[in-house]
Amino acid sequence: MNTPTQDPVSSASALLARLVSFDTTSHKSNMAIVQFVESYLAGHGITSQLVPTEDGEKAGLFATIGPKGVPGVGLSGHTDVVPVEGQTWKSDPFTVTERNGRLYGRGTADMKGFLACVLAAVPDIKRRKLKVPIHIIFSYDEETGCLGVRPMIDEMGDRLIRPRIVIVGEPTSMRVVDAHKGPVRWQIEVKGRAAHSSMAHLGVNAITYASRLIAELDAIEQELKTRPPNPRFEPPYPTVQVTMIDGGTATNIVPISTTFDCEVRTLPGFDPNEIEQRLRAVAEMKCLPEMQAIAPEAAITIEQTNAVPPFGADPNSEVVAMALKLTDQNETFAVSYATEAGLFQNAGAPSVVIGPGDIAQAHTANEWIAKDELGKCMNFLTRLADWAEA
Ligand SMILES: [Zn+2]
């Protein structure tokens, strides 16, 4: 697949076609793609360490090129993709199709393009006499809340070496991203009491009380908009919103329960517990006393379902300086989408986000990546190998 006569973009494109052909939608197994990567690396004399889930349906992959036992540069990416259901595609999403210099297919931008570039760079990296090793870190379940990388990070410093720095290859159009927001999500369940809707005073309307909590979330967001903005982000404040809601059983019954999900997209330095505390205060001081006066069994539960930490690199970080130098850029950017970078950073591996492809293509129908972008990423990886060898 990868011969020295092939140019780097052709190698990366061929590997991308192979990677896209695995349907790794997050709710499915990723073992086939992991086994493909494992045997590809084995073909270049590189041993992989797998970190499988308990049921063996999924695994993260960690492999080191270069000296062993030395912390190196982690190249991090996720193998999973978002679903194609409900989207209208002009061509099969799991068959890469080239049109006008663009490669179409699910995951081409987010983020199998980066994985393909990393794998295409392996023969070159392997040939070098590296002083600083390169670690390949491929995760799963990123799209469902950066879940799959966490067991790998937990093993760092133990079975896996903790990288000195990590490059997260999410699509940034090869710009250097040193900060991003982090989503924190909660599920709230309001339990009231059912009654015939003509006898509303005998029931406790769960939708009514849920709407009071939702109004509080709206008030919180309005207030956050009035605090000093962080102009690096678009929008420049933490957003708060309800994303799903479910409640009621029939049009003539006082609804007994309502469940809703909400999220805040936090900025580095903002404490999301503030939001949970305010919700709990409304629930406990305003809603529950009224509800339980009629129905003692009435209850409100607030459960945090996921938290991806926001990411803010140290302004003097080695990895940010290196990424700028290797790409001949002098400006960093902040983005609103989340990545695994905050998790690596918090685990003691300073990180940066830089990868091929446009984030605007991520998760869309007819997702594509420009072949140019693969070229830029291959250049970056060549220069990274030069740096690691020097
Ligand atoms: Zn992604």
Side-chain angles (χ1 to χ4, degrees):
M1 164 169 304
N2 205 323
T3 62
T5 53
Q6 246 183 339
D7 71 275
V9 175
S10 303
S11 300
S13 303
L15 281 158
L16 179 58
R18 196 77 175 88
L19 296 177
V20 168
S21 74
F22 297 99
D23 176 359
T24 53
T25 308
S26 302
H27 63 87
K28 297 185 177 172
S29 171
N30 78 334
M31 290 313 292
I33 199 170
V34 164
Q35 281 154 6
F36 168 77
V37 174
E38 189 180 20
S39 69
Y40 173 88
L41 293 174
H44 292 281
I46 300 156
T47 309
S48 300
Q49 288 174 281
L50 301 191
V51 181
T53 53
E54 234 162 69
D55 63 7
E57 283 291 298
K58 295 175 185 178
L61 180 147
F62 188 100
T64 297
I65 312 173
K68 301 277 179 275
V70 184
V73 181
L75 300 176
S76 153
H78 59 84
T79 58
D80 61 318
V81 295
V82 295
V84 296
E85 277 73 34
Q87 299 184 335
T88 309
W89 282 70
K90 287 196 193 112
S91 52
D92 174 25
F94 300 106
T95 305
V96 167
T97 310
E98 184 172 349
R99 299 193 287 272
N100 304 321
R102 296 171 173 178
L103 301 173
Y104 288 83
R106 171 54 85 228
T108 48
D110 184 13
M111 62 177 288
K112 290 177 173 174
F114 179 73
L115 306 189
C117 289
V118 169
L119 297 181
V122 161
D124 174 38
I125 299 173
K126 183 71 177 127
R127 268 196 299 273
R128 314 283 196 125
K129 290 198 166 43
L130 298 182
K131 290 209 180 73
V132 182
I134 306 279
H135 311 292
I136 295 173
I137 310 169
F138 288 175
S139 69
Y140 57 90
D141 283 357
E142 190 275 346
E143 298 291 1
T144 50
C146 294
L147 303 173
V149 76
R150 298 180 201 226
M152 274 205 281
I153 289 176
D154 288 346
E155 295 220 29
M156 284 175 181
D158 186 14
R159 189 164 78 91
L160 307 177
I161 192 153
R162 185 186 315 281
R164 176 166 124 195
I165 51 182
V166 172
I167 292 164
V168 177
E170 290 279 356
T172 67
S173 304
M174 293 307 291
R175 298 189 306 176
V176 178
V177 167
D178 65 350
H180 67 61
K181 291 186 180 180
V184 180
R185 302 194 168 103
W186 294 270
Q187 187 170 74
I188 292 109
E189 188 179 11
V190 181
K191 279 197 170 153
R193 178 182 280 183
H196 192 285
S197 62
S198 66
M199 301 296 276
H201 63 293
L202 300 180
V204 172
N205 190 316
I207 293 178
T208 301
Y209 287 99
S211 66
R212 290 199 193 167
L213 296 168
I214 291 169
E216 177 68 10
L217 288 169
D218 184 42
I220 293 169
E221 196 195 40
Q222 297 312 322
E223 191 194 306
L224 290 175
K225 286 183 188 174
T226 66
R227 293 188 192 175
N230 184 334
R232 294 201 71 206
F233 290 95
E234 165 66 23
Y237 54 87
T239 50
V240 181
Q241 63 193 314
V242 175
T243 49
M244 300 218 286
I245 188 162
D246 180 37
T249 44
T251 52
N252 59 355
I253 300 176
V254 174
I256 186 169
S257 77
T258 300
T259 303
F260 65 92
D261 290 80
C262 62
E263 68 157 33
V264 56
R265 295 256 164 184
T266 65
L267 303 179
F270 175 80
D271 181 6
N273 286 324
E274 178 186 334
I275 291 174
E276 183 169 331
Q277 280 159 10
R278 283 181 61 171
L279 267 188
R280 285 191 188 282
V282 172
E284 281 156 27
M285 328 256 279
K286 294 188 177 159
C287 298
L288 284 171
E290 281 181 29
M291 296 165 77
Q292 290 174 340
I294 297 165
E297 75 277 18
I300 296 174
T301 55
I302 298 172
E303 187 198 351
Q304 194 180 96
T305 50
N306 187 241
V308 178
F311 165 58
D314 180 335
N316 303 313
S317 140
E318 173 196 18
V319 66
V320 171
M322 182 184 84
L324 288 169
K325 188 163 171 262
L326 299 186
T327 53
D328 295 320
Q329 298 177 51
N330 50 26
E331 194 184 355
T332 60
F333 295 86
V335 296
S336 291
Y337 54 92
T339 78
E340 294 169 341
L343 289 163
F344 282 114
Q345 175 98 1
N346 292 351
S351 301
V352 71
V353 188
I354 176 169
D358 185 346
I359 191 65
Q361 286 304 317
H363 306 190
T364 61
N366 305 304
E367 176 181 352
W368 53 266
I369 190 165
K371 286 179 87 173
D372 284 2
E373 287 285 308
L374 298 179
K376 285 185 205 164
C377 188
M378 292 308 295
N379 281 341
F380 172 69
L381 293 171
T382 302
R383 295 184 71 175
L384 175 68
D386 295 342
W387 174 90
E389 198 177 26

